[in-house]
Structure formats: C-alpha cells, structure tokens
Amino acid sequence: MAAGVAAWLPFARAAAIGWMPVANLPMPVAPTEKNKRQDELIVLNVSGRRFQTWRNTLDRYPDTLLGSSEKEFFYDEETKEYFFDRDPDVFRSILNFYRTGKLHYPRYECISSYDEELAFFGIIPEIIGDCCYEEYKDRKRENAERLMDDQEDNKDSKLPNMTFRETMWRAFENPHTSTMALVFYYVTGFFIAVSVITNVVETVPCGSSPNQKDVPCGERYTVAFFCMDTACVMIFTVEYLLRLFAAPSRYRFMRSVMSIIDVVAILPYYIGLVMTNNEDVSGAFVTLRVFRVFRIFKFSRHSQGLRILGYTLKSCASELGFLLFSLTMAIIIFATVMFYAEKGSTSSKFTSIPASFWYTIVTMTTLGYGDMVPKTIAGKIFGSICSLSGVLVIALPVPVIVSNFSRIYHQNQRADKRRAQKVQKARLARIRISKTGTSNAFLHSKRNGLLNEALDLTGSTEDERHHNKTTSLLESQHHHLLHCLEKTTNHEFVDEHLYEQNCLEGALQNYTSRSPSLSSSGGLTGTCCSRRSRRKSAHLPNSAMSPGPPHGLQELSAVHIHRSDRPPLSTSRSSLNLMPDEAMRLNCKSGQITTAIISIPTPPGTTPEGDGHGPPSPSVQTTAGSSVVKVSAL
Amino acid sequence: MKAKNREQSLSDSRELDGSYDPLTDSTEDDFELSTVCHRPEGLDKLQEQTKFTKKELQVLYRGFKNECPSGVVNEETFKLIYSQFFPQGDSSMYAHFLFEAFDTNKNGSVSFEDFVMGLSIILRGSINDRLNWAFNLYDLNKDGCITKEEMLDIMKSIYDMMGKYTYPTMQEDAPREHVENFFQKMDRNNDGVVTIEEFIESCQKDENIMQSMQLFDNVI
C-alpha cells in the first residue's frame, strides 16, 4: 500500500460497507488501537534545526527509522523531542519523503553523504522519483568510478596470494603493476613499430645500381628484411602464446578482438613459410603480405585513445550507416543522370553507369580529379548540381558522428549503455518486489495473525504474543480490510507461486489419501499446500449430505479448519458442486476444492456453522479445535 | 524568414512530433489551467452537518487535501487511490460505483463535503442509515429497486477486486451464484427486484449483517 494514501485508509474501510450485505460469512474482528492516541505533533531536532510533523505522517512508512519504534532510541526526555545528530539539509529531503511519498535527490548534495543519510534513516534509494533518478544514478556511477580508480592504484600493491598465471595476466593487462610488465609493454611496442616500419621501408626503392633500375629495398636486402620479419614474428608469437596461457578464460580470450588482430598479424608469415615452394600461388602470397599491416592495430593495446575511437565508430554505426546509405542513393541518381546526359557526346568517358559512379563520387566529395569531365551542357549543369548537393549530403551526418565521438571520449566508458540497462532492470525489479511485498505482507501477516489468535487460545503469555505483532496499526487495518473482502467473496488471496502450484497439483492429484499432516512447521509456511492434503475419512456422516461421493475432509495443521459440505450455506455450494470425477479432468479449476468454509475456531459457540454435525470427524469438534491449534502453535 | 515559413516549419515539426491533433486543432502539450480549486465550507458548518468532531474533520481534510490539492476528486483519482489498497485485483469498477454513490449532486467530482457526508453516514450513522446508504450504492440507476443485473454488476466488481490468484480458483459463475443467493435471501415477494423495504427487512433479520455493520464504529 502506498503510504501516501494512508490517510485514505478510513475511507477504504468505510467503502467496505458495500460488501457487508452481500457477504454470507461473518466478518473478522477489526483491529483496535490499544492506546488510541490523538494525532499529535512531534518535534524532530536535527542538529539544532527543529522539524515538526504529525506522528501519522511518520507512521506511513513503518519499516524506516522514523516510522518504527527505532526512533525511541533518540528520544530526549527533558526536551520531549527526538534528537538526531545528522545533517539537517539532507533531512529536509527525507522528511519530504514522508510528507509527499516521493523521494527527491537535491543536486547540490554530495552523493555519498546523501547515501549515508538514506542508509541511516532506513530508506532504500531505489524509490527516488523518476524526476531525480537519472541524476542520482549518474552521480553514483561517476563516484563509483572515481573510487575505483583510486582503489586500483592502492590495490595493486597488495594481493599476495595470486597464482603465477594470475600475476602474468595482470601484468599483461596493466603494465604499471611491475617493472617486468613495463619492460614487456615497451618491448612489444617497440617491435610493433619496428615491424611496421620494416614493411614500409621494404617497398622504398633503394639506391640503384648502375646496371639495374630502382629496386625496392626489400629485394635488395632480402636476407636482412627476412631476419627482421622473423624476429618480429617470433616476438609476437611468444607474446600471443603467453597471453593465451595466462588468460583466465581461454575461450573468451580467443574470441576477443585483440587476439584476432594478433593472429591475423602473424599468420601471413607462417603461411608464407609453408608456401614458398609453390610458385603458382606466389601471387596469393604477395597479397597475404598486405595483412601484415594489421600489426599496426596491435598498437591499440597501448593506446587508450585508439580503443575509444574504435568504440565510437562501433557505437555510431547507425549514423555511419545512414551516411553511407544516403551517399549511395545520391551516387546512383547522379551517375544515371550524368550517363544519359553525356551519352550523346563523342569520346565521352562516361561509358556506363558504373563508370559514372567514379565521377559522381569524386565530384560529390569535392575531390575533382579531372580524369572524367562532362562535355555537354546538360552534363555540366547536372555536374554542378551534383557537386553542390555532395557538400550537403556529407555535411549532414558528420556533426552527429562528431558529437557522439566527443561525448564518448569525455565519458570514457566502455559498456556504459549495457550497464545502465542492467541497473534499470535491477531497479524496476526492486520496486516490483516491494510492490508485491504489499500483497505478500498481507499473506504473511494473515498467518501471523492466525498464529496470534492461536496463541490467544492457548493462553500464551503477553510477551509471546507481542513478539509476533510486528505489523503497525495501519497495516493491520489494511489487512483486516482485505480479510473482509475474502470473507465477502468466500475466496482467499494467495500468492502467484502457490496459485500455480495449486493448478498443477490440482490437475495431477487424484484422491490419493494422504495422512493428515499435522506438521506444524510445514503448516505455517504453506498453509495453502497443506490444505490440500486430503484424507478420505471413512466416518463422515456429512458425506450423506454432499451431492457426490465422499469428499475428503481436508485437515489443516494451521488454524483453519475446513468444514466439509454445508448445503445450508449457499456459498459453499458452488465448490461443492464439483464432482470428484471432475477432478480427474486435468483442469486446474476442477481438480480442487471440496470444502469452502474457512473459519477460525474462536469462541466455539458463536461459529454459525454450529456443531450440528455431531461427532463426525475429530477435527470438526470445536474442543478438538483447540488441540489442533495447539499443535500448530508449536 | 517570413512568418509563413515559420508557421510552416512549426506545423512540420508538429507533424513529426505527433503531438498535434488536426481534428480538434489543439496541441496536446497545452497544459490545462487547473482553475478548479474548491474550498469547503467552514469547519463549523461541516461539524453541524456531519457527526464528526472537529479534530476528526481536521484529520480527514488533511488527508483529503494531500491527495487532491485542488479540493475535488475526479473519478480517475478516486479509482487510483482506491486501487492502492487492492494491489492484487482490479478495483476500478467498484471504485466507479463508490464514486457514483459519493457524488450526490452528480457533477462528476466529489468535493470534501460530499466525501465527509458519505463518511458520516457510514461511520457515524445509525444502522438503518448505513443500510440505506448501501442500498443506494447497489441501486445503480437510483430507481428505488435493485435488479438482478445491477446486483450482478456490483458482485462482479467485488469479485474483480480479488484478482486472479485466489484460493479456491475463481470460477466464472461465482458472482452469478452469489447474486442468486442474495436474491433468494432478500427478495421476499419474488418479483425479481429488491426494494428498499425488503432490503432493510432482510438485513435486519440477518445476524451476520447486523454484526458486520457494527464494524464501522471504530474506523476513525
């Protein structure tokens, strides 16, 4: 129950008048206030600033500090006020929560101090209203990262008990952990650079000897370059194997982008080694060399910025896709137009539409190489339109991409969106849990309430009874209301799981006789399930009255006592009409309930069912009722 | 830029937005100026008219004003408030009937006076008054008698509040059977309707009902 409408509980209870004339069962007794207090103002002194509010306002949320009896610990007898040595500014928001039912997060407040105050007063942050929740989560995340960064600097010096493998992995991932790691980091970086430079220099024409034309250095100093290449690939291979060994999850490591880059970087060399003998595929071998340039991507392990760029491009995929799509559209349109415009002119380079693509692209990106130019007037007109529109088409998506990049670069987070989604899901789950908590609270307190009455009957001491009265007056009144509704409709609330269990068990269950499990502990936790334990009782005179074959008397370990067939009581007739053979049908509705009445065996005389059944089964007897109750109370 | 272009761009953006309703020529995001702000008559006057004490009226009004700062409850808010108490089921129909019963002058909103008058009858009135009020609640078209259809509507709304997860499982015809029982009990002359006299007479004969009517003495 949202405590914001706690004030309307009297109205809701009054509205129950509509149920009374139609109910066929007596209503449960209403909870009374033992010491009915007039609503009074209480003073909350928070570090000198006095707040005043009604007591009822605080009682709305009984599971917080101010709403429960925990605040009595802070009561000052002399000044007759509650003193809290906490921050009064934050307390404002907390008190407003009681007043309005909404928790707000003030932006100027430090997030950790706010969290501390919430924890002190027993309020979960998930109920912060939607208006402030985004801000709260953002600040919390920032703070967490800041703390994590600080922690990591400190943490690295500790952690003595790691296996060799774990130390190695940490060394690979974070080069600042030890000097060895740093050395390794710089050595690999150096060799990546060397390898890339080698590849580049290989193709530069070195000085020409007099009788030959320029040959690239690669062919002149073949051996030297080959040695360099081999050395680099050795290092890369060793590095890859070491990483593979140290990785905590080898499968995941092999799937990661960096390892794929590593493999692609060194593979051409090995393929080349294998294939040197075969002359036919030497063409393909040359192409493979191209892949050596992928070694440059290995730098991304060394550069944070490169990783961010890659991530940005990945996250801007939709904008890039849009750019590409619109460009393609424009290219096709203009190429077609140019082709047909230039068709007439002689010796035109626009031989086909695909040939015009090149012209269109060069013009739209304002490159203008000049290798293809239109000669006809129509061609020139359309050519100029093409170049003007090219500027526009490219200029439109680019700012979006740029702003994306800057946003991500500044935030500098990897799986930002994924984490936020998880948090949102978790938050909604918590709120849902607290909402179902309301109905669960009712079911829970129903059992507690029955236990209380059971204890009453057995004449337990006051202490034991009060020990179970954990619900506030407000809650007990609300539960009484729900209880009245149950009586009116002659059905009971159950929670989802039990309902589904009922369905399943009702469908599967035939009249197998089970011993009446007076398992006390089981009864209290699963009153519903135990209710279904049927027992064919041979001595059931009531069965004569029932419309069908004998219905098993359902015996409860809890305080509920099921009376079987009661023709005079019309409400039970609906369930009594269930024939047992209906139960054979695998139908949730039918395989069910034979008895209808749930009554509490309080003052035996006043139970309207009376004891007209004589001495049929032991549990029906009210004197035996108390003994049943006793058992369950254990 | 010419004014025409601006209008054109405004309407274009409205189209994209989807907030523009060309039929009624109004934009959805115009906030309704809630000029409705009802203040109840004086505390003394209310005290005369109802059977509550001053303090009780104060407590009631504080709760009322908290939830409805404008001073009146419309049906939507009424349903929303009532549904908070019944998380498992659907209480909107019953809340609707309640609203009709509280809204004595049929103007679509319940002011504090209506609210307190109704509560006064239920919580502080005599048993006969309460029964009368309940009859008024059931008699949907206020013609002085309850037909089976009316009763069926009411019964369905009550059963709806239980929701799906009940024990025993809710049958389709549970409300109807309940209505049959009700009519058997209440309809003396078997003419298919229950008049106010029949209703009160039958209720007075029923111990359970009489006893449950006493429940309301201690609500406030």
Side-chain angles (χ1 to χ4, degrees), chain A residues 1-2 4-5 7-30 32 36 38-39 54 56 60 99 438-439 443 477-478 480-482 484-486 488-496 499-500 502 528 531-532 554 562 570-571 573-574 577-578 588-589 592-593, chain B residues 55-56 59-60 62-68 73 78 81-82 84-89 94 98 102 115 119 121-123 130-131 133-134 137-138 151 154-155 158-159 161-174 177-178 181-182 184-186 199 203 206 208-209 211-213 215-216 218-220:
Chain A
M1 177 179 70
V5 294
W8 286 69
L9 187 60
F11 155 70
R13 299 180 70 203
I17 195 172
W19 312 338
M20 303 298 152
V22 298
N24 297 308
L25 301 170
M27 290 294 146
V29 179
T32 50
K36 180 162 181 157
Q38 287 291 337
D39 202 8
W54 297 106
N56 278 355
R60 285 183 194 161
R99 290 180 181 138
T438 316
S439 39
L443 299 168
Q477 285 179 341
H478 184 217
H480 172 252
L481 184 68
L482 293 174
C484 287
L485 183 60
E486 286 185 337
T488 309
T489 55
N490 209 12
H491 288 65
E492 281 192 6
F493 286 110
V494 298
D495 69 34
E496 211 173 314
Y499 172 74
E500 269 148 35
N502 282 351
C528 227
R531 229 173 265 140
R532 268 179 285 105
Q554 292 184 8
H562 271 250
S570 41
T571 50
R573 203 172 283 155
S574 53
N577 289 338
L578 294 171
C588 178
K589 288 193 234 168
Q592 279 271 350
I593 321 304
Chain B
K55 267 211 180 287
E56 288 167 348
V59 169
L60 280 172
R62 282 205 299 268
F64 187 86
K65 182 93 179 168
N66 212 15
E67 219 39 52
C68 321
V73 198
F78 202 84
I81 293 172
Y82 200 67
Q84 310 265 19
F85 295 103
F86 301 97
Q88 275 196 337
Y94 189 69
L98 279 178
F102 271 95
F115 181 69
L119 279 187
I121 298 176
I122 299 175
L123 301 178
R130 294 174 185 173
L131 289 174
W133 200 93
L137 173 72
Y138 297 146
M151 204 57 222
I154 299 258
M155 201 63 76
I158 295 179
Y159 273 78
M161 282 198 279
M162 289 294 294
K164 195 172 115 181
Y165 302 117
T166 58
Y167 176 85
T169 320
M170 194 72 72
Q171 310 279 7
E172 285 292 317
D173 53 356
E177 291 214 27
H178 206 149
N181 294 327
F182 179 77
Q184 273 194 347
K185 201 163 55 166
M186 300 275 166
F199 182 72
C203 286
D206 190 331
N208 283 345
I209 298 182
Q211 205 165 19
S212 54
M213 285 292 164
L215 266 181
F216 299 103
N218 297 327
V219 169
I220 286 194

Side-chain angles (χ1 to χ4, degrees), chain A residues 90-155:
Chain A
V90 180
F91 189 75
R92 225 172 43 91
S93 313
I94 291 179
L95 196 54
N96 277 337
F97 167 62
Y98 286 89
R99 290 180 181 138
T100 61
K102 297 197 199 87
L103 183 61
H104 294 282
Y105 169 61
R107 279 153 211 250
Y108 54 80
E109 205 58 62
C110 165
I111 186 77
S112 40
S113 83
Y114 188 74
D115 270 344
E116 274 175 25
E117 296 298 311
L118 285 186
F120 179 80
F121 286 102
I123 299 173
I124 55 168
E126 268 68 18
I127 50 180
I128 290 183
D130 286 331
C131 44
C132 298
Y133 192 69
E134 286 297 319
E135 173 81 24
Y136 173 79
K137 273 293 158 191
D138 284 343
R139 294 275 290 269
K140 195 139 189 211
R141 199 179 27 238
E142 271 178 42
N143 202 40
E145 275 158 16
R146 206 175 304 132
L147 287 177
M148 213 160 53
D149 286 340
D150 289 342
Q151 252 181 30
E152 268 177 11
D153 292 341
N154 299 340
K155 190 176 65 164

